[in-house]
Amino acid sequence: MTTLMTILGIVVFVIGLGISIAWHELGHLSFAKLFGIRVPQYMVGFGPTLWSRHRGETEYGIKAIPLGGYIRMIGMFPPGQDGRIEARSTSPFRGMIEDARAAAYEELKPGDESRLFYTRKPWKRVIVMFAGPFANLILAVVIFLGVMMTFGTNMQTTTVGKVSDCVIQASENRSTCEKGDQAAPAKAAGLKAKDKIVAFNGVPVKDWSTLQEDIRANPGKEVTLTVDRDGKQLDLTATLIKNQVSKTDGNGGYVEGQYVTAGFLGFTPASGIVPQTFSQSVDRMGDMMQNGVESLISLPAKIPALWDAAFGDGPREPDSPMGVVGAARVGGEIATMDIPATQRLATFLMLVAGFNLSLFLFNMLPLLPLDGGHIAGALWESLRRNVAKVLRRPDPGPFDVAKLMPVAYVVAGVFICFTVLVLIADVVNPVRIS
């Protein structure tokens, strides 16, 4: 049964991956057609074609390897300075440029002269190339907000999970009380497990972070805690003491190895699945975006640890880069988790949302052959044309992105090597969530 559920989880993730890729390419396709660019192909996947159908002037299809997709637009690059598009150079770098230019004009038909990608105004080309990543961003936001507001997320609550017997400084590497330790204020006040704290000094509290801030901000003071115990509310009086506690990161977590002196009550909050409000969900989505950007920036620094995890005896860190194979394995692991079906579904959806957010951020890098590289080229063309217009100089014409193809091949080579490294790590030392 476990094997079957694992396979089912992998299949579900692959379907979600395919939908995400198709949605990305649909973003490109919709605006390309809106702006009159001819699109001969819309494909989900790479490699041999499994299925395809022609609708109008476009062939729609599914290919065997679900690691990406593409639409093929006519005239992605302008002709060379002599107006020719066929390959004609013996220089390897020049040959790359001319091969790319020639490929952009495959299947050119009479009448297509006015339907070429490069002939569209730069702002239209920016929209066409941005529409794909933006579609992934929209999907990520919709899924994330839907899950947060409908299913909720696992977080600390104002319900008491465990009451401490004594006061122990956070820097002390122990969890048991010793002779001479002061009794915890929570225990002295009569706080019990499963009590839900609903007010602090008469002010209602709705979440753990607010309650935690209130406790830490009142060292040495006598406070009133209003708790809900078995459906009845009662007031408890506690005298908070100064204690060394772990520093918080502002997002509900703790900064490892850093401590502050603050008010201390002495209980561990219980965790639970709590639906979020729209504003709370938006805040969490913002944190997710920030973490995604920071992870992308720190990606090169994680390569040595990834190499050690793949070929050495190093551990695979939880925040280690993970590819499609690793994500599929996580999907299979989610399907076998001993949690309610609704939570498994929510976790699946969050996995897909995270994948779409990664697609958006990765594709916005201003490097060819990524969408961000084409966007950067169109913006540069717009800038230099406007500067020439202001200075009353001749129009420099379209920016020839094809000249950057040798760089694009280098970038693609780096990406391929990185993908292979991640793939090996995902197979021999995968990230696990349990």
Side-chain angles (χ1 to χ4, degrees):
M1 186 64 178
T2 300
T3 302
L4 179 62
M5 291 301 295
T6 300
I7 295 173
L8 178 62
I10 293 173
V11 170
V12 170
F13 173 78
V14 171
I15 292 173
L17 172 65
I19 293 173
S20 301
I21 294 170
W23 180 245
H24 175 102
E25 300 305 334
L26 184 62
H28 290 311
L29 179 73
S30 301
F31 283 93
K33 287 184 173 289
L34 178 64
F35 295 142
I37 302 167
R38 191 164 78 82
V39 184
Q41 274 192 324
Y42 166 95
M43 290 288 171
V44 177
F46 299 116
T49 300
L50 302 178
W51 171 90
S52 71
R53 289 289 185 276
H54 280 86
R55 293 290 184 271
E57 61 187 15
T58 304
E59 178 190 11
Y60 300 85
I62 299 174
K63 290 182 174 286
I65 305 174
L67 297 180
Y70 64 92
I71 67 167
R72 191 148 59 84
M73 294 180 284
I74 297 296
M76 285 289 291
F77 309 118
Q81 292 182 353
D82 57 3
R84 298 172 63 189
I85 60 173
E86 68 274 8
R88 55 199 177 279
S89 175
T90 57
S91 165
F93 293 107
R94 189 67 194 174
M96 291 179 187
I97 299 172
E98 293 164 357
D99 287 343
R101 201 189 313 281
Y105 288 84
E106 287 181 359
E107 300 186 22
L108 186 65
K109 297 180 180 179
D112 283 346
E113 293 79 10
S114 62
R115 304 187 63 192
L116 304 175
F117 175 78
Y118 85 89
T119 61
R120 294 301 177 263
K121 292 182 181 295
W123 67 267
K124 290 186 176 181
R125 279 180 274 154
V126 168
I127 290 176
V128 170
M129 300 312 298
F130 180 69
F134 187 61
N136 291 122
L137 178 62
I138 291 175
L139 187 57
V141 170
V142 169
I143 294 175
F144 189 83
L145 294 182
V147 170
M148 290 291 100
M149 298 174 66
T150 304
F151 295 97
T153 184
N154 188 35
M155 60 187 300
Q156 292 175 314
T157 68
T158 60
T159 299
V160 177
K162 179 183 178 182
V163 177
S164 302
D165 291 323
C166 60
V167 179
I168 300 175
Q169 292 190 355
S171 60
E172 295 186 45
N173 188 24
R174 63 184 176 96
S175 58
T176 57
C177 296
E178 295 179 353
K179 187 176 180 179
D181 287 339
Q182 185 178 352
K187 191 175 185 66
L191 199 65
K192 296 182 178 181
K194 298 184 180 180
D195 282 352
K196 182 177 181 180
I197 301 175
V198 296
F200 184 91
N201 278 341
V203 179
V205 291
K206 295 183 179 180
D207 55 59
W208 163 246
S209 60
T210 302
L211 178 59
Q212 184 184 53
E213 289 174 4
D214 289 339
I215 294 171
R216 292 191 170 200
N218 290 279
K221 295 181 180 179
E222 184 177 273
V223 299
T224 300
L225 304 172
T226 304
V227 303
D228 186 318
R229 180 180 296 170
D230 298 327
K232 297 179 181 180
Q233 287 194 0
L234 63 152
D235 292 335
L236 303 177
T237 301
T239 300
L240 305 181
I241 65 169
K242 284 186 178 182
N243 189 31
Q244 185 190 70
V245 294
S246 297
K247 183 179 180 180
T248 59
D249 60 8
N251 297 316
Y254 296 99
V255 181
E256 186 177 357
Q258 296 188 31
Y259 310 98
V260 295
T261 300
F264 179 79
L265 181 56
F267 77 94
T268 302
S271 297
I273 304 298
V274 182
Q276 304 293 287
T277 63
F278 177 76
S279 60
Q280 288 174 326
S281 300
V282 170
D283 288 342
R284 285 181 172 269
M285 184 71 201
D287 293 338
M288 192 175 176
M289 283 282 293
Q290 181 180 346
N291 292 336
V293 172
E294 292 173 353
S295 295
L296 194 61
I297 294 173
S298 64
L299 201 59
K302 295 180 180 180
I303 291 179
L306 185 64
W307 178 276
D308 194 29
F311 299 104
D313 55 0
R316 187 75 184 274
E317 299 296 334
D319 63 344
S320 173
M322 183 170 58
V324 173
V325 172
R329 291 186 67 155
V330 169
E333 196 173 343
I334 292 171
T336 61
M337 291 176 67
D338 186 21
I339 57 177
T342 54
Q343 291 185 36
R344 288 201 296 268
L345 175 61
T347 308
F348 264 121
L349 291 173
M350 290 297 288
L351 182 64
V352 174
F355 178 77
N356 277 271
L357 180 59
S358 297
L359 276 180
F360 168 74
L361 295 174
F362 184 71
N363 274 285
M364 290 308 297
L365 290 175
L367 301 169
L368 287 175
L370 301 175
D371 296 328
H374 291 282
I375 291 172
L379 292 175
W380 173 248
E381 176 185 323
S382 178
L383 176 63
R384 69 176 193 167
R385 279 185 155 179
N386 282 305
V387 169
K389 186 176 180 179
V390 170
L391 299 178
R392 297 183 179 180
R393 294 178 178 175
D395 186 351
F399 174 64
D400 192 1
V401 182
K403 292 181 179 180
L404 299 178
M405 288 312 295
V407 177
Y409 285 125
V410 173
V411 173
V414 172
F415 286 161
I416 291 172
C417 291
F418 178 73
T419 301
V420 172
L421 175 60
V422 172
L423 173 63
I424 294 172
D426 284 344
V427 172
V428 302
N429 192 358
V431 174
R432 301 186 184 278
I433 59 173
S434 62

